[in-house]
Amino acid sequence: MRLYPIETGNFKLDGGAMFGVVPKSLWSKTNPADSNNMIDIAGRCLLIEDGDRLTLIDTGMGNKQSDKFFSYYYKWGNHSLDASLKKAGFHSDDITDVFMTHLHFDHCGGSVQWNKNRTGYEPAFKNAVFWTNESHWAWATEPNQREKASFLKENLLPMQESGQLKFIAKENTGFITGSELNFDILCVDGHTEKQMLPHIQYQGKTLVFVADLIPTLGHLPVPYVMGYDTRPLLTLDEKSKFLQKAIANNYYLFFEHDATNEICTLQNTEKGVRVKETHTFNELFT
């Protein structure tokens, strides 16, 4: 097995929305805001090469939306999904599986692209199976008013219409061992229904793709919960339990949205759970 971080493109989000009720005077210490109160956000995905299987975890925002849409998110930097795959030595046609932690547009938008004539949409990975779970699919395709702007039909329906969509089994359990993709999965419901967090065994370490349970290192304190979460009190409970399990099992947390920090380990302190060490992917895994 070999892993590759895949940078799909950076953007910005409102700092207040990213930290909910936490005052700016606190969250700005780790996530400084610009003059528009926007903070830097990464779109860092993960590619797993395991024998003949090439699995991509999340796909970023994609590039098919309108200029007006992207103007809300202040895209910055030179990263792109295709360029990152090429740097790793692969092409989109090589991908056999696309695993989506959840179906908000910044996690699955890159799964679908314009067709050649820009008359409609098609899967961006023509040879891949697209994995979600049945409960979250129903949640996303019949969205509540709070999340409606995050679940875009053009990101979702082409995967189903192509026949390439499949559901992970046993998604109603909190922790799924031995999934179809050969890694364990933790399902959490605070951010959105049945978000799935992969736990990957690699070079003697457990790497956890924490997605939107802990979007950045600045979100480690338990009360630091995003305003986007549909069930923030549940996030508090899920996050608290996960952090203690991460310490007990020496998990390495892989951040999808932290523009500065790629990976960290944790420790208990007098102030609660805090970072123990930060690592770049390349220095940790050679």
Side-chain angles (χ1 to χ4, degrees):
M1 178 188 286
R2 189 172 179 186
L3 304 184
Y4 308 84
I6 299 296
E7 300 283 357
T8 66
N10 300 325
F11 56 104
K12 291 178 179 286
L13 288 174
D14 183 83
M18 283 297 291
F19 285 93
V21 300
V22 179
K24 182 178 180 179
S25 59
L26 295 178
W27 58 254
S28 61
K29 294 176 181 178
T30 56
N31 298 72
D34 65 16
S35 59
N36 293 317
N37 208 47
M38 309 293 280
I39 64 173
D40 290 346
I41 298 292
R44 183 179 302 110
C45 302
L46 189 64
L47 184 64
I48 305 173
E49 183 183 16
D50 190 6
D52 294 333
R53 202 164 199 174
L54 202 60
T55 302
L56 181 60
I57 299 175
D58 280 356
T59 60
M61 196 180 292
N63 57 16
K64 65 182 175 297
Q65 305 300 332
S66 67
D67 290 342
K68 181 179 180 181
F69 177 91
F70 287 123
S71 73
Y72 301 141
Y73 302 103
Y74 302 88
K75 292 179 72 175
W76 58 276
N78 298 315
H79 295 307
S80 73
L81 176 54
D82 287 341
S84 292
L85 288 175
K86 184 178 180 180
K87 183 178 178 181
F90 302 103
H91 185 273
S92 59
D93 292 351
D94 300 324
I95 304 299
T96 62
D97 299 270
V98 174
F99 177 91
M100 294 163 290
T101 59
H102 60 298
L103 296 170
H104 287 165
F105 68 84
D106 57 319
H107 293 259
C108 75
S111 297
V112 173
Q113 63 187 9
W114 283 105
N115 61 21
K116 186 176 181 179
N117 297 320
R118 295 181 69 87
T119 57
Y121 303 106
E122 64 184 11
F125 305 92
K126 67 179 185 180
N127 297 315
V129 172
F130 292 89
W131 295 93
T132 181
N133 65 71
E134 193 168 6
S135 296
H136 184 63
W137 180 260
W139 184 270
T141 53
E142 299 178 14
N144 59 74
Q145 288 298 313
R146 185 178 175 88
E147 290 181 279
K148 190 174 183 179
S150 294
F151 292 127
L152 307 179
K153 289 183 178 180
E154 61 266 32
N155 286 339
L156 309 180
L157 299 184
M159 292 186 284
Q160 183 183 52
E161 292 164 356
S162 70
Q164 294 171 242
L165 182 71
K166 286 191 177 181
F167 297 137
I168 292 286
K170 305 176 184 177
E171 85 278 359
N172 288 322
T173 60
F175 196 75
I176 303 169
T177 57
S179 73
E180 295 94 326
L181 290 161
N182 298 324
F183 49 72
D184 296 334
I185 299 166
L186 174 66
C187 289
V188 288
D189 298 305
H191 178 60
T192 188
E193 179 76 5
K194 295 294 176 291
Q195 178 183 196
M196 300 188 291
L197 310 183
H199 289 50
I200 302 155
Q201 303 302 317
Y202 186 56
Q203 295 187 10
K205 299 177 175 65
T206 301
L207 188 71
V208 183
F209 191 96
V210 288
D212 277 350
L213 178 65
I214 309 173
T216 76
L217 188 146
H219 289 84
L220 284 178
V222 172
Y224 286 40
V225 173
M226 289 191 291
Y228 299 112
D229 285 21
T230 59
R231 306 177 182 112
L233 294 180
L234 180 55
T235 298
L236 287 172
D237 182 58
E238 291 173 335
K239 186 175 170 183
S240 181
K241 290 176 180 176
F242 171 79
L243 291 173
Q244 291 305 319
K245 189 173 182 180
I247 292 171
N249 292 281
N250 195 33
Y251 288 166
Y252 289 76
L253 276 55
F254 183 94
F255 293 112
E256 185 165 12
H257 285 321
D258 194 310
T260 303
N261 302 286
E262 292 183 73
I263 297 171
C264 85
T265 54
L266 306 175
Q267 62 183 342
N268 279 312
T269 72
E270 292 181 354
K271 294 183 178 181
V273 176
R274 295 294 186 270
V275 63
K276 182 178 180 180
E277 295 179 321
T278 60
H279 305 273
T280 66
F281 185 91
N282 289 336
E283 73 181 15
L284 189 61
F285 301 113
T286 57

